[in-house]
Amino acid sequence: AAPPPRGGHTSTLLGAFLYVIGGADREQTYAAKVHRFHVRDLAWEEVEVEGMAPTPRGGHSAVAWGAEGVVVHGGLNIQREKFFSDLWVLHAPSGGGPATWTEPSREGVPPLERNSHAAVLLSEGPLKHSMVVIGGGSPEGLLASIQIADLSRLPETVTWSNAKHPSLSGFTGREMMAAAIMGRQLLVFGGRIDASE
């Protein structure tokens, strides 16, 4: 069956499946179940998931990790008045069987609580196997922060650091933007720079 309507979720392609995680309806009822859409058969199914799962949320980010994993970071649960800084990995075996959630241990600088941010996975260069997390909203307001999560030791450990480069000095705090990798360049487009708008 198709998942219920929602916004603020993520959709991540792993092989022939599009994994839909999180989000909420207009009444801020958050989706706790994981669904996947088989892109060849055009069919939905609810994913059987074992283990402790992250708190339901929306506004988080997700990137594909290899052929069988989705890395989820941050987000917000308005009902609980809680922003998140955690990182979870959904291991979804391509051959079938139940998926499992794991929360890796954290090292390095503490990741910031954030919502409506962007995240991209780097697949080449000196930061290969790192997720770059850009901007977002936080309890303190809009973030100009860019943090890097080294995912090379997943599923056990994630090491966080703050991005430092002279080109970042002009980055304005924002949320709800889009980001993409083009070669060795990070492109950020749009977003809301005034949370009152």
Side-chain angles (χ1 to χ4, degrees):
R6 68 186 75 183
H9 58 283
T10 56
S11 299
T12 308
L13 186 64
L14 290 180
F17 292 99
L18 185 70
Y19 283 81
V20 176
I21 298 171
D25 62 19
R26 291 193 180 274
E27 286 75 43
Q28 297 304 312
T29 301
Y30 287 84
K33 296 179 179 176
V34 176
H35 288 81
R36 67 182 182 184
F37 182 73
H38 195 288
V39 296
R40 292 190 190 111
D41 298 341
L42 304 180
W44 285 102
E45 67 179 326
E46 184 179 318
V47 178
E48 180 185 349
V49 181
E50 296 178 344
M52 192 169 98
T55 302
R57 67 197 60 202
H60 53 286
S61 61
V63 298
W65 179 252
E68 298 183 346
V70 178
V71 176
V72 173
H73 171 63
L76 169 70
N77 185 306
I78 291 174
Q79 290 176 333
R80 297 180 185 203
E81 299 179 2
K82 174 71 177 149
F83 283 82
F84 298 100
S85 64
D86 53 355
L87 184 143
W88 290 79
V89 179
L90 178 70
H91 177 71
S94 58
T100 54
W101 282 110
T102 57
E103 183 179 18
S105 63
R106 297 193 295 204
E107 294 180 355
V109 301
L112 298 174
E113 296 177 335
R114 60 178 84 216
N115 166 63
S116 298
H117 55 283
V120 294
L121 184 68
L122 303 179
S123 58
E124 60 182 63
L127 296 175
K128 184 177 180 177
H129 303 304
S130 292
M131 179 178 70
V132 180
V133 180
I134 307 119
S138 75
E140 291 76 37
L142 298 179
L143 297 172
S145 162
I146 299 177
Q147 291 189 298
I148 300 168
D150 178 353
L151 307 178
S152 63
R153 296 190 291 154
L154 282 182
E156 292 81 21
T157 306
V158 173
T159 303
W160 287 90
S161 62
N162 292 320
K164 296 176 183 151
H165 191 275
S167 65
L168 300 176
S169 63
F171 184 73
T172 303
R174 66 190 64 214
E175 63 184 354
M176 300 179 179
M177 72 297 235
I181 294 294
M182 184 176 75
R184 293 180 127 187
Q185 294 183 323
L186 170 64
L187 306 175
V188 178
F189 177 76
R192 185 167 65 178
I193 59 172
D194 182 350
S196 66
E197 292 178 347

